[in-house]
Amino acid sequence: MTDNNNARPPFGAVLCDVDNVVRTFDSGRLETLERAAGIAEGTTKKIAFAPGMDLPMLLGEITSQEWAEAVADGLAGLVPEPQTAYELARALLESPFHADDEVVALLRRARIRVPLVLVSNAALELESDLASLGLADLADHVVNSARVGLAKPDPRIYHLAADLAGTSPDRCLFIDDSEENVAAAEALGMHTVHFHEPADLERALQPLFT
């Protein structure tokens, strides 16, 4: 997986986010519980992903269970009973997920040509989650924020990923669904894709496939 072909690829590595790119979550049960509790759909996520709420988990400072308990505490004043708040937080934590087969296929094709590193703001369960999806071998490396103690958009996690890929930041293609994370990658000179759908990724990877 090196740039030894006659036509040098436009980038020497692919760095790709996981959540909302490689895998997608199903919030159906959570939304049903929110309606039953008399709160607006999305309220639990709004609290759970408020600035600072999920960062300790993403940095590996607390467990996913401890994060869920903090989310339940944040919901306590919005629902009639503490048990309801806890059920909502657990429903979020246990949301089922699946891999996007089209994205996975594109990344596997890309990895034939260049190294692939998954770079994710995630909990400690990320690696086991990938294994449960049959994706333990998808990438050359997994940079999990909870394990390295760094989270996007911290430039250090981007440099770490590029180093693992064996190339410089300006030779990396970075894919993420977060505009903030993409902007941070661009500031380091990376090629970037602000991911909305698999077609975005396919267009960016096309030079590798031709």
Side-chain angles (χ1 to χ4, degrees):
M1 293 180 290
T2 57
D3 299 348
N4 292 328
N5 297 308
N6 292 331
R8 187 173 187 243
F11 36 84
V14 173
L15 313 182
C16 188
D17 184 26
V18 175
D19 291 340
N20 302 314
V21 179
V22 175
R23 72 168 170 178
T24 303
F25 290 87
D26 179 359
S27 300
R29 179 171 180 270
L30 172 60
E31 292 167 357
T32 297
L33 290 174
E34 286 178 327
R35 289 193 296 270
I39 60 175
E41 293 179 14
T43 299
T44 305
K45 288 183 179 180
K46 184 176 181 180
I47 291 173
F49 300 113
M53 176 63 84
D54 62 343
L55 187 59
M57 177 186 66
L58 298 178
L59 293 177
E61 297 170 356
I62 64 172
T63 66
S64 298
Q65 178 61 40
E66 289 170 326
W67 172 65
E69 291 169 358
V71 173
D73 288 342
L75 287 164
L78 303 177
V79 295
E81 298 179 3
Q83 182 61 29
T84 302
Y86 182 75
E87 289 174 356
L88 289 165
R90 290 298 302 179
L92 172 63
L93 184 63
E94 297 171 358
S95 296
F97 52 83
H98 67 276
D100 186 312
D101 292 338
E102 189 174 353
V103 169
V104 169
L106 287 167
L107 292 176
R108 290 196 186 280
R109 287 182 65 193
R111 191 181 171 208
I112 295 171
R113 294 292 306 279
V114 298
L116 170 63
V117 180
L118 298 180
V119 190
S120 182
N121 286 355
L124 290 169
E125 293 84 0
L126 175 63
E127 288 81 359
S128 61
D129 287 350
L130 290 171
S132 74
L133 292 170
L135 301 178
D137 65 343
L138 176 62
D140 295 281
H141 301 280
V142 176
V143 179
N144 178 355
S145 65
R147 296 193 181 278
V148 302
L150 300 167
K152 296 174 292 186
D154 188 327
R156 293 175 293 175
I157 196 171
Y158 298 84
H159 282 291
L160 174 59
D163 288 346
L164 288 171
T167 192
S168 59
D170 64 350
R171 288 283 295 149
C172 292
L173 174 68
F174 177 81
I175 304 109
D176 203 293
D177 68 306
S178 163
E179 187 173 357
E180 181 183 23
N181 294 342
V182 168
E186 288 178 348
L188 296 175
M190 292 183 176
H191 305 267
T192 61
V193 177
H194 187 195
F195 183 90
H196 297 92
E197 59 183 3
D200 300 326
L201 178 60
E202 185 172 17
R203 282 191 296 271
L205 293 177
Q206 198 58 43
L208 291 180
F209 305 152
T210 56

